Amino acid sequence: MKKKNLVLQVFIAFIAGLVLGVVLWLAKVDISGYVKIVSPFGQVLVAMLKMIVIPVIFLSLIDGAASVPTKEFGKIGIKVIVWYFLTSLFAAVLGSVLAIGFNPGSGEAQQAAWKSLINTQNTSEIASKANNSLADVFISMFQNPFQALAQGNFLAIIVFSIAFGLALKMISERAEYSTKVKTLLEIIDVAKEAIFKIVDWILAYSPIGVFALTSVNFASYGSSLFGPYIKLTIGVVLGIVAMVLIVYPLMMAVTLKVNPFKVLMKIKEPMLTAFVTRSSAAALPVSLRVAKEDLKISENISSFALPLGSTINMDGVCIHLPMFAILAANMFGVKVTFVSLSVLVLTTVLASVGAGGVPGGSLMLLFIILQNMKLSPDQIAIIVGLALGINPILDMFETMNNVTGDIVCTYSVAKLSGLVDEDKE
């Protein structure tokens, strides 16, 4: 109920900010005084999200990586993880292709509007920073972890966190370290829950920040924002519909030789639960029940694969993030090349692993994508401000996509491994 109330509050704040902003823009009045007073309330929300994103990613990934399968369950566990990775990669590629196709914020008239409204850095300077070679990006992934944490090098933080979690899992199987690792993981889990509680506090403030950011953005940019908003929303929704109704069915039809739409009909309840609650965690009990009772999947795999999927499998986020990256590129004159697109896909897949269990996790991961584009803090704040307004709408579709992908993966791997009761099915 609290989550539903918060969604309603954010939506009302967004509409109120949009209406006030458009009225101020149409009135052609001097808004400098309004911006000076109201803007800090929005900037505080962005700053709080930036404050929390690194500990969220760091602790979530360590906890998630440490939950990989034991030796006895290694082969099936590897299949699950590979399937999750491949679907996330495909979703990131699909999201990038759709982003290029819809190209939100593009067009000569739109570009002229951005230039007249936004005080950007030197375009060539931004482009040269953003379009690093793949070799540079690869090298930057292996940085001193303390330096990475201090400098906010998200890719290095992600790589180290996953490696550290896997290392903990491996040494936990040695008798002399088992108890110690268990204690450490319990501490990490408590720390993660404490961080999530701070996230709840930040989200409780979010209606105020959303109103401030939305009203300031629309007062400054006016109707220039409507086109990108509509394009972006349609692009994300179409991408998610394509994943659920085309990509997943094709994967099941090719690998399992079954009617995929019969499977989708059986999992409509957890899909709807995820859509309404916007939470993979809230849909997890329903997913587990449906996996056991309707799909007849062995609990040996569903009890592992579904919770893991709610942590690391974020296909909907992989569709979402490239859209905002292309919008940012168009707004701030960042040249999009094959290399920068490849980096975007890689960053999106790696970043999406850290979104699990975090309310509004895609917003936090947006910082990773935008920072990797070498945008300034002010420019990142503009894009995050735009994302905050429509995130509740997009988040419903994303979460439904995520939960669907979790169940499809679990069913497919179980079917291929002989862990589905064929007679009962």
Side-chain angles (χ1 to χ4, degrees), residues 301-379:
I301 182 172
S302 62
S303 61
F304 155 73
L306 290 174
L308 180 64
S310 69
T311 303
I312 70 171
N313 187 45
M314 300 289 140
D315 296 342
V317 174
C318 292
I319 295 285
H320 177 181
L321 294 180
M323 283 287 180
F324 279 103
I326 297 301
L327 174 62
N330 285 326
M331 288 182 69
F332 304 116
V334 179
K335 186 179 179 182
V336 178
T337 66
F338 176 77
V339 171
S340 62
L341 269 179
S342 301
V343 172
L344 174 61
V345 169
L346 173 65
T347 308
T348 299
V349 173
L350 291 176
S352 70
V353 178
V358 186
S362 60
L363 278 176
M364 299 188 185
L365 300 183
L366 188 56
F367 284 104
I368 302 177
I369 301 300
L370 298 177
Q371 183 165 312
N372 201 55
M373 295 173 67
K374 309 302 181 185
L375 298 182
S376 70
D378 290 340
Q379 292 167 337

Side-chain angles (χ1 to χ4, degrees), residues 58-123:
F58 183 67
L59 294 172
S60 295
L61 286 179
I62 292 177
D63 188 53
S67 68
V68 294
T70 60
K71 287 181 179 179
E72 295 79 13
F73 205 56
K75 289 184 179 180
I76 295 177
I78 291 173
K79 289 180 183 178
V80 170
I81 292 171
V82 169
W83 186 289
Y84 282 151
F85 175 80
L86 289 177
T87 55
S88 294
L89 180 62
F90 195 99
V93 172
L94 176 61
S96 298
V97 170
L98 287 172
I100 293 295
F102 279 87
N103 211 9
S106 62
E108 292 184 6
Q110 191 74 67
Q111 292 298 313
W114 295 142
K115 289 179 181 178
S116 65
L117 292 170
I118 300 173
N119 180 26
T120 63
Q121 298 178 9
N122 180 272
T123 299

Side-chain angles (χ1 to χ4, degrees), residues 131-141 338-344 346:
N131 295 324
N132 293 331
S133 69
L134 289 175
D136 292 337
V137 174
F138 181 75
I139 293 171
S140 71
M141 292 167 61
F338 176 77
V339 171
S340 62
L341 269 179
S342 301
V343 172
L344 174 61
L346 173 65

